[in-house]
Amino acid sequence: MGLAKDGDAEAFKRRRVTELKNGRVAMLATMGYIVPELYGKFPGYLSFSENIKFSDVPHGLAAMGTMPAAGMAQWFLFCGAIELGFYKYDDTRAPGDYENGGVLGVPNASRLPDGEDRNRRLNSELANGRLAMMAIIGMFFQDGLTGAPYGDWANYTDSPLRAFENELGVQAPVGFFDPLGLSKDGDADAFMRRRSTEFKHGRIAMLACMGYITPEITGKFPGYLSYSQNLKFEDVPNGLAAVSKVPFAGWMQILMYMSFCENSRLDNVGSSGWGTDIKLGKPGDFGFKVITSDDPDTVTKKLNSELANGRLAMMAIIGMFFQDGLTGSAWGDWECYTSSPLRAKVARNFYGGDPGAPARVAFDPA
């Protein structure tokens, strides 16, 4: 989201404090989900007055409906005491460093000695906290949908995604991946259209990635790209810089060729033009079967591989575009992007380390 692009060190420090705090809470919450499953629960009563034992409280989100209101109030007061009293924010200290908190949060004056080991440990805490924030959100979703933080997908019988769970592209480790819920309405026609588009974009992206890589390895064609403009193939740079070098007539040829491919397709039921593969119920199938097989399992494996490789290529070509645009080359060094606002203090270790230490690459994708 580009939150750090303005180079505001104070705002970055505030966000780093929040990130550390949320990461620590998430690590505890994740352990709170896991430990009772492995080791059981405390013996005795959670509330004598309401006759609730610890063993009566279910795991996960279901516990919210069992906990007494007084218990929730105690949590709230405890969090307030930690936030406003015991671990009070001190602007003179590094993010996440509190006067009353020692190593591992133990309330004593212990402190990690300065040095590379300290930086490694603190960076590990940040990385583990980020992972825990993702993990606990995943547990919440899985718990809410299946009734348990480790609930089986089969328990989520109301999922509209079941209409497509046996389609191509449903592969480990994510299974049916639709984070935006585009398929939640169960519309088969819309799914077919999107699948056809996915195949097409994946194939173009694979060719585009090869177009970036091949000239770097094998060189370019000999001869002229345009006699009339005295433009040789070797005069055209790799990557985005080529956009301004290709003549207008060349772009028109590319556009006309794409239109021809898009609108000259013919299926075996007499239909031609866009969408013939969808009409056949076989997205991406345009009759080109050079590397196919008569074995249905082999065909399925190859088609799944094509989808997976196309998805990877779509991510790769976007990465190449960004890296090319920022550094001048599809695999340009970060040092070439001298105007990056992330080169400000925000890219340094904000745990109170040496301000003169080498800048660390900052992750701020938004």
Side-chain angles (χ1 to χ4, degrees):
M1 296 173 66
L3 298 178
K5 66 182 180 181
D6 57 3
D8 187 332
E10 289 302 317
F12 178 84
K13 186 175 182 179
R14 176 177 56 80
R15 294 190 187 103
R16 174 51 53 84
V17 169
T18 303
E19 180 183 23
L20 280 166
K21 191 182 301 179
N22 290 344
R24 290 165 178 172
V25 171
M27 286 189 278
L28 290 171
T30 303
M31 292 300 297
Y33 256 102
I34 297 171
V35 170
E37 295 279 353
L38 298 177
Y39 301 105
K41 302 174 183 178
F42 291 118
Y45 285 85
L46 173 65
S47 172
F48 282 106
S49 61
E50 299 191 31
N51 195 32
I52 299 176
K53 296 181 179 180
F54 285 103
S55 59
D56 296 331
V57 181
H59 293 161
L61 298 177
M64 301 297 290
T66 306
M67 285 290 297
M72 296 290 188
Q74 290 173 27
W75 285 0
F76 182 78
L77 292 172
F78 176 74
C79 291
I82 293 293
E83 182 77 14
L84 302 174
F86 196 73
Y87 289 154
K88 190 174 181 179
Y89 176 68
D90 185 349
D91 189 51
T92 64
R93 303 176 74 92
D97 183 14
Y98 300 101
E99 181 179 3
N100 295 318
V103 177
L104 297 178
V106 178
N108 55 35
S110 61
R111 186 176 185 273
L112 288 173
D114 292 333
E116 187 58 34
D117 183 63
R118 177 176 182 271
N119 291 336
R120 181 183 61 81
R121 288 170 181 251
L122 293 174
N123 277 316
S124 295
E125 181 189 27
L126 261 177
N128 291 339
R130 291 165 178 170
L131 177 61
M133 286 188 276
M134 298 297 294
I136 196 64
I137 292 297
M139 287 179 173
F140 285 160
F141 268 90
Q142 192 167 8
D143 192 345
L145 295 176
T146 67
Y150 324 103
D152 194 290
W153 169 254
N155 295 335
Y156 184 25
T157 56
D158 296 331
S159 172
L161 301 181
R162 291 191 176 280
F164 311 114
E165 63 181 357
N166 294 318
E167 293 287 344
L168 289 171
V170 181
Q171 304 175 59
V174 296
F176 187 86
F177 186 69
D178 184 20
L180 298 180
L182 299 177
S183 304
K184 65 182 180 181
D185 57 3
D187 188 332
D189 292 335
F191 178 84
M192 287 286 186
R193 177 177 58 79
R194 294 191 185 102
R195 174 49 53 83
S196 178
T197 303
E198 181 182 21
F199 266 119
K200 190 185 305 179
H201 289 174
R203 290 164 179 172
I204 291 173
M206 286 188 279
L207 290 172
C209 288
M210 292 301 298
Y212 254 102
I213 297 169
T214 302
E216 296 280 351
I217 299 175
T218 63
K220 301 174 183 178
F221 290 120
Y224 285 85
L225 172 65
S226 172
Y227 280 106
S228 61
Q229 299 190 25
N230 194 33
L231 183 66
K232 295 182 178 180
F233 285 103
E234 64 184 23
D235 297 330
V236 180
N238 291 341
L240 296 177
V243 173
S244 61
K245 292 289 186 179
V246 176
F248 176 76
W251 284 115
M252 292 302 299
Q253 291 172 26
I254 294 172
L255 181 63
M256 292 175 65
Y257 176 73
M258 291 169 60
S259 299
F260 171 78
C261 291
E262 187 72 19
N263 292 285
S264 64
R265 295 176 285 178
L266 181 68
D267 62 24
N268 59 6
V269 293
S271 298
S272 62
W274 187 89
T276 53
D277 57 323
I278 301 174
K279 295 173 186 175
L280 285 171
K282 298 179 179 179
D285 184 356
F286 303 112
F288 184 75
K289 301 180 182 294
V290 175
I291 56 174
T292 188
S293 170
D294 294 328
D295 180 12
D297 291 337
T298 302
V299 171
T300 299
K301 180 181 178 181
K302 289 187 175 185
L303 291 174
N304 274 320
S305 297
E306 181 186 24
L307 266 177
N309 292 338
R311 290 165 178 172
L312 176 61
M314 286 188 276
M315 297 298 294
I317 194 64
I318 291 297
M320 288 180 177
F321 285 159
F322 269 90
Q323 193 165 5
D324 192 344
L326 295 176
T327 68
S329 171
W331 23 85
D333 195 281
W334 167 255
E335 295 300 324
C336 298
Y337 184 27
T338 56
S339 59
S340 170
L342 299 180
R343 291 188 179 278
K345 293 180 182 178
V346 298
R348 301 195 179 277
N349 183 2
F350 257 81
Y351 278 116
D354 180 8
R360 301 179 187 273
V361 176
F363 182 70
D364 186 15

